[in-house]
Amino acid sequence: MDHLELRARMLPELPEAMAAHIDRVVALADQLARRHGLDVARVRLAAQGHDLLRAVPPAELLIRAEARGMPIDPVERAEPVMLHGPLGALELEERFGVTDRGVLEAIRWHTPGHPDYTLEDWAMFVADKVEPEKLRQAPALQQVRDLAEESLPRAALAYLDQRLTEAVAKRWQVHPMATLTRNSLLRAGLNEG
Ligand SMILES: [Fe+2]
Ligand SMILES: [Fe+2]
């Protein structure tokens, strides 16, 4: 399945603003994938699918996750919006016929990232965080956008650093996978230089 076929199937279920965000993420992910010589089709498919359930109300996401017996982290229980990735990956497989395991795992973890992410996965992740509208709303993200031209993992680490700083300042909980992801990027030496 290519991203245009998935887009056509998803559109009836998406509010206009969400469809527009996804289009911007696909466009930027495509650009970053080309810049870094990655598998563009795979990056576009993950970007297209990533927010299938982002517009579903958090209380409904929690109900769906509980009904399926999905493991729910206490941070996810407090902030059920975080379940839109894991649940979205399941529904993309079951209802939309997405079969690529790597794409589904990338979508599953697209909010906190994952230590096993490939460069293709990072292209989708970073594009989601710094697409033009998000950059307009949070100009500090320009640092992440600039780094994405040089290194996607460096851009991802800068993004996770910004989020951690914000979480500390605002006394927000941090998803455990965001911490594991950041640690793995730090161990890769990406914080130097
Ligand atoms: Fe999302
Ligand atoms: Fe998104």
Side-chain angles (χ1 to χ4, degrees), residues 18 21-22 25 50-51 54 84 110 128 134:
M18 191 54 56
H21 162 66
I22 291 171
V25 175
H50 84 284
D51 269 346
R54 178 62 183 80
H84 77 277
H110 80 267
D128 179 34
K134 288 197 180 166

Side-chain angles (χ1 to χ4, degrees), residues 12-64:
E13 298 192 18
L14 294 178
E16 212 170 298
M18 191 54 56
H21 162 66
I22 291 171
D23 285 348
R24 288 191 298 271
V25 175
V26 170
L28 180 54
D30 178 281
Q31 197 181 316
L32 293 174
R34 287 174 196 280
R35 163 127 190 128
H36 294 283
L38 307 176
D39 181 342
V40 176
R42 185 180 161 179
V43 171
R44 281 198 295 233
L45 188 61
Q48 177 60 46
H50 84 284
D51 269 346
L52 172 67
L53 299 185
R54 178 62 183 80
V56 173
E60 167 67 19
L61 290 172
L62 189 55
I63 289 169
R64 286 193 206 177

Side-chain angles (χ1 to χ4, degrees), residues 15 20 27 33 47 56 61 64 91 100 102 115 117 119 121 128 151 153 155 158 165 170 173 182:
V56 173
L61 290 172
R64 286 193 206 177
E91 295 198 16
D100 185 315
Y117 258 15
L119 290 175
D121 302 338
D128 179 34
S151 161
T165 302
K170 296 181 174 170
Q173 296 188 66
R182 182 171 171 276

